[in-house]
Amino acid sequence: MTEFDVVHKPKHYNSHPSGIEAKDVTRNFDFPIGNALKYIWRAGNKGDYWEDMNKALEYLNWAMSDHHPNEAIYCRKPAVVAIHMQEVIKYETDPNKQKLFGSFVDMIVNPEELKTLRNNLKEIIKDHESSNLCKD
């Protein structure tokens, strides 16, 4: 059994069934992209799922405003990140997270995928909000 520690090994970043810690992936990206990934990763594990998804969208909007379309996405260890993310995707049961994690992998190779990642997240949030309106 894994021992969790609120400072060094918080449960909301270390409970993924793949066994991979969020920080082992997020620290390889620049601040807004790493934070977007962090919020998607922990969505529903620390606080409200949709609040975390909206925070991730905010960071992706920030990344888009700072990013030139032809500029590479900074990733310190792209091969390691791709391997980790493929493992995360394999064990992920949430279809929204699966789709978004796949977009992160695509973005490492093709910087244009940053826009796709953001649009995928916007669509997921929009679909959720629309389904909630129908329930009211």
Side-chain angles (χ1 to χ4, degrees):
M1 174 143 168
T2 303
E3 285 288 322
F4 296 110
D5 171 306
V6 294
V7 174
H8 303 292
K9 197 171 181 75
K11 187 174 183 176
H12 53 276
Y13 294 132
N14 293 281
S15 58
H16 196 273
S18 67
I20 296 170
E21 292 187 45
K23 70 179 179 182
D24 291 337
V25 178
T26 60
R27 68 182 179 185
N28 289 290
F29 290 104
D30 65 3
F31 181 75
I33 292 174
N35 265 10
L37 178 56
K38 172 187 77 172
Y39 279 110
I40 292 167
W41 191 295
R42 80 172 198 194
N45 293 329
K46 182 178 180 187
D48 181 73
Y49 181 94
W50 294 106
E51 183 178 297
D52 284 338
M53 289 296 197
N54 276 291
K55 287 178 182 178
L57 180 58
E58 189 65 26
Y59 279 103
L60 289 175
N61 286 335
W62 182 10
M64 286 290 298
S65 70
D66 289 347
H67 184 260
H68 186 274
N70 296 325
E71 181 181 41
I73 299 296
Y74 173 75
C75 182
R76 191 165 53 109
K77 296 179 180 177
V80 171
V81 169
I83 290 167
H84 281 333
M85 290 306 296
Q86 290 299 335
E87 194 69 10
V88 167
I89 292 165
K90 183 168 79 174
Y91 286 94
E92 183 55 62
T93 58
D94 178 333
N96 292 331
K97 290 183 183 184
Q98 270 185 336
K99 181 176 187 174
L100 296 169
F101 290 155
S103 294
F104 271 97
V105 174
D106 295 342
M107 182 187 65
I108 295 168
V109 178
N110 180 0
E112 286 294 311
E113 293 299 317
L114 174 59
K115 185 175 182 178
T116 302
L117 171 60
R118 185 191 59 176
N119 290 342
N120 286 344
L121 182 53
K122 283 171 78 171
E123 188 68 27
I124 288 166
I125 291 169
K126 180 181 169 193
D127 288 348
H128 167 72
E129 289 171 349
S130 296
S131 69
N132 275 352
L133 287 175
C134 293
K135 292 177 185 177
D136 292 341

